[in-house]
Amino acid sequence: AELREELREALILRGVEKLYRHQGQAVEAAWARKNVVVVTPTASGKTLCYNLPVIQSIMEDPNARALYLFPTKALAQDQLAELTELSGQLGKKVQLQLGAFTYDGDTPADARKAIRTRAHVVITNPDMLHTGILPHHTRWSRFLGNLRYIIVDELHTYRGVFGSHLANLFRRLSRLCRFHGSDPIFIMSSATIANPLELAEKLI
């Protein structure tokens, strides 16, 4: 019921007339400023668990920002297409100019400055966060200062030594967010694994 009418209508246009229970619970938890981990099988609608709170926050405040982390470029491109389609349908109802961009090693140098200043959603990977964003956080001050959500998909891939590196990266990211004046919520998702809560807690 708390979803904006325009967002509900955009979902209906895509054939989504009702949310699954896990989607509703995830969205409500995010709005209550709780970190969230969602673990359900493939093709069960995990994307809406984070796209809905992100898009609604941007509709309510154009300065709001979100950071999406994916382990592969292919997943990042899929997510960009999903966001673009949903925001395009919203654009027919409201004046929403949602800027969503991938930021990785292939991003041209002349595009990076524009992404830092204009992007509502930056879709990247852990390596680029480590080498391309956090060391240059002063250039990202506007983005980090308005960061509302950090989305971590494919949670199950971040285990072992790689997971321990990522946990330190998240500590650094959280510290820099506080330095720039924000306190973002983590929304994490994964295919079915046995211990999602334990893994999420260790990571963040």
Side-chain angles (χ1 to χ4, degrees), residues 73 88 93 105 113 148 155 159 161 169 171 176 179:
K73 291 181 182 179
K93 301 283 183 181
K113 182 178 180 181
R148 302 285 180 82
L155 178 67
R159 58 180 187 260
V161 173
L169 197 60
R171 289 185 180 92
L176 288 172
F179 176 79

Side-chain angles (χ1 to χ4, degrees), residues 133-202:
I133 296 178
L134 297 186
H136 312 289
H137 65 93
T138 53
R139 298 179 185 174
W140 288 84
S141 59
R142 180 180 177 187
F143 182 86
L144 293 173
N146 289 286
L147 193 58
R148 302 285 180 82
Y149 293 103
I150 299 168
I151 311 303
V152 183
D153 198 15
E154 303 294 315
L155 178 67
H156 56 279
T157 63
Y158 303 123
R159 58 180 187 260
V161 173
F162 185 32
S164 66
H165 282 310
L166 194 65
N168 284 315
L169 197 60
F170 285 149
R171 289 185 180 92
R172 186 178 179 196
L173 173 59
S174 296
R175 178 177 59 81
L176 288 172
C177 285
R178 289 193 298 271
F179 176 79
H180 289 286
S182 68
D183 183 23
I185 300 299
F186 281 86
I187 304 178
M188 315 176 89
S189 66
S190 173
T192 306
I193 54 175
N195 59 337
L197 181 61
E198 179 187 8
L199 179 58
E201 286 177 339
K202 287 182 179 297

Side-chain angles (χ1 to χ4, degrees), residues 64-79:
R65 300 292 186 262
L67 179 70
Y68 285 45
L69 288 176
F70 294 92
T72 67
K73 291 181 182 179
L75 287 168
Q77 289 299 325
D78 289 346
Q79 186 57 61

Side-chain angles (χ1 to χ4, degrees), residues 10 13-14 79-92:
L13 285 174
R14 304 192 65 197
Q79 186 57 61
L80 179 62
E82 178 80 15
L83 267 172
T84 302
E85 184 178 343
L86 185 54
S87 64
Q89 286 168 331
L90 268 172
K92 300 171 185 175

